[in-house]
Amino acid sequence: MALFQTGVLVLTSPLPLIPLHIAPVLTAAAKIVKNVLYVHLHPGLGLAGSHIRPVPAYIPANWEVSRILSNLYTKSFNVCSFLDVRVVLSNIKNHCSTQQPFSTVQKLSEPPEVVLTDYSITDSNQSNQVLQCLEKYILSCYTCKPNLRAMVLSSGVNSAKDFCPDVKDSRLCESIPNYSDVVLGGTFDRLHCAHKILLSLSCLLTGKRLLIGVADGELLNNKVLKELIEPYQDRVEKALQELAIHKISLVKDFQRASDEEEKLSSSTLRKRLLGSLLVPPKDNPRIPRTPYVIGLTGSTGSGKTSVMQYLQKMGAAAINVDAVSHESYRPGGAAHQKIVQQFGQEILQENGTINRTALGKIVFADEAKLKCLSSIVWPETAILMKQMIGGAAAEGKSVCVLDAALLLEAGWIDMVHEVWVVIVPEDEALRRIVKRDNISEEDAKKRLASQWTNDQRVQKANVVICTQWEPSFTEKQVQKAWQLLQNRLPTC
């Protein structure tokens, strides 16, 4: 049964040694201290000798100290979670200073009743001297309860001389960054060791001011079991004043459509960009002026097919590049024999056609094999695409759309006048692929990973369309894009 409510533990071991014996030290301390245990770091502190007058010393805040703080709090949670362990940072400095720490005795919120240490006594005759020296040392650092007791703990490691460190990592000796002001925020519900690590390291990063925001009110609405979160006043220091809140009325958007937010917002303004010309197209003298070729691209599952259908209704000639590439796979096609030679007879079905599902499992699991397949199919597909664009010109079509998921990856951008990109959030694309193709989510992720991301595609886009919402909104975007396109089509 613990003898004291509060205590302070003075760790005198070399810093690299602390992680090795902190668990047994904390276990021993938890048998003596019941509620709050402060931890004070002073590696190399001497407590034995007739002329010893130990004084506090600065410890440089380097990456090793940072790692030890994290380790200490984590171990405290594992071996004595009921004990409120608090590492004191008063003598850990993130800047050079000639001033000695503790120019005045520091006041702790819970004055210690006992001082403990991991100091190793090699001569039992020095025990009383060590304890007296320890009491004087800690009283020069902190205000303690009257009749302070001092005790030496068994660490499980006899002394620093038993420690055989590995090769010293010079990076751990580097000082951590120092910033004038640091800001962090959170709920800080039922303060635990992870909170203490966050707060401690934030203090070490701070040179002047640390601002902490504690969430409350509507900010807690999405928290799990928010009903069980401690009251706000229990999560903050009682002496702190609550921040004043000044309400500023939202600006109404009088240009909004019926399906847009009432308030003016960046989200609405971004949605209005959909279907508009984001970047003017560059002149491409290597291809004929007519038909005007749109490269429609997007990841698998993005909704290109529905966009293509709307464009066909509006009069565009449609070329499904995926179907075109399939032609090269057919027996007798330009790429068929090369694919079989490269990937083997096992990808063939009984009628001699290539089993694209079996081939897909091979190439989507191996980037090198996917590149090999692409090097065979893409050139042949490009030849067929040019033939079909020529056919659209012969029919008198003014606009031809290439529906090509791999337009950018394959380098076919030189075959089009503009790039239109269809996007959808990745989780929605995954859901669609799994449902459409009846494959596992893992296989769907492999397919997406083999293609460019939305961000990469949008960087190359002249027009962006998003199919995330209801089909009617997708159609509005396509109609807008088509109408704007008419103004930049060549007149001859």
Side-chain angles (χ1 to χ4, degrees), residues 61-76:
N62 54 29
W63 290 110
E64 183 173 35
V65 171
S66 170
R67 188 171 69 170
I68 286 171
L69 287 174
S70 299
N71 182 281
L72 200 153
Y73 276 123
T74 302
K75 291 289 178 61
S76 72

Side-chain angles (χ1 to χ4, degrees), residues 322 326 329 339 343 346-349 353-366 370 373 433 436-440 443-444 446-447:
D322 195 33
H326 293 175
Y329 282 75
I339 295 173
F343 296 98
E346 59 269 20
I347 64 170
L348 292 177
Q349 302 185 94
T353 60
I354 293 174
N355 186 330
R356 296 183 65 249
T357 301
L359 180 59
K361 289 184 177 181
I362 295 173
V363 298
F364 287 126
D366 188 320
L370 180 60
L373 177 65
I433 298 168
R436 180 193 67 194
D437 299 340
N438 193 28
I439 61 176
S440 68
D443 287 340
K446 289 179 181 178
R447 290 190 185 182

Side-chain angles (χ1 to χ4, degrees), residues 1-193:
M1 182 176 179
L3 303 176
F4 304 95
Q5 298 295 317
T6 60
V8 56
L9 170 62
V10 179
L11 295 178
T12 65
S13 301
L15 293 179
L17 182 58
I18 292 177
L20 298 180
H21 76 171
I22 192 60
V25 167
L26 288 174
T27 300
K31 297 177 180 178
I32 299 171
V33 178
K34 181 179 181 181
N35 292 334
V36 179
L37 178 67
Y38 294 100
V39 178
H40 176 92
L41 299 177
H42 191 144
L45 175 65
L47 295 173
S50 57
H51 301 291
I52 291 293
R53 294 290 186 271
V55 294
Y58 279 140
I59 299 174
N62 54 29
W63 290 110
E64 183 173 35
V65 171
S66 170
R67 188 171 69 170
I68 286 171
L69 287 174
S70 299
N71 182 281
L72 200 153
Y73 276 123
T74 302
K75 291 289 178 61
S76 72
F77 176 75
N78 291 331
V79 303
C80 53
S81 58
F82 62 89
L83 190 59
D84 183 359
V85 176
R86 308 176 187 179
V87 182
V88 184
L89 305 178
S90 302
N91 65 324
I92 303 176
K93 298 297 181 183
N94 195 4
H95 54 83
C96 295
S97 175
T98 57
Q99 180 186 0
Q100 288 296 311
F102 301 101
S103 54
T104 59
V105 177
Q106 304 291 304
K107 184 177 181 180
L108 300 173
S109 59
E110 304 289 341
E113 303 171 48
V114 63
V115 54
L116 311 172
T117 185
D118 64 345
Y119 183 83
S120 179
I121 300 177
T122 56
D123 185 352
S124 59
N125 294 326
Q126 294 180 327
S127 296
N128 289 336
Q129 181 184 356
V130 167
L131 295 176
Q132 291 174 7
C133 192
L134 178 62
E135 287 183 20
K136 291 179 181 179
Y137 172 76
I138 209 64
L139 288 171
S140 69
C141 298
Y142 308 109
T143 300
C144 301
K145 288 284 185 70
N147 302 317
L148 179 71
R149 293 282 302 277
M151 302 176 67
V152 175
L153 300 175
S154 174
S155 67
V157 179
N158 291 330
S159 67
K161 66 182 181 183
D162 298 327
F163 177 54
C164 298
D166 295 331
V167 176
K168 185 68 175 178
D169 188 346
S170 60
R171 292 172 298 179
L172 295 178
C173 297
E174 296 178 2
S175 295
I176 63 175
N178 180 254
Y179 306 95
S180 174
D181 301 278
V182 173
V183 179
L184 69 150
T187 307
F188 295 105
D189 178 43
R190 292 170 173 79
L191 200 68
H192 49 68
C193 70

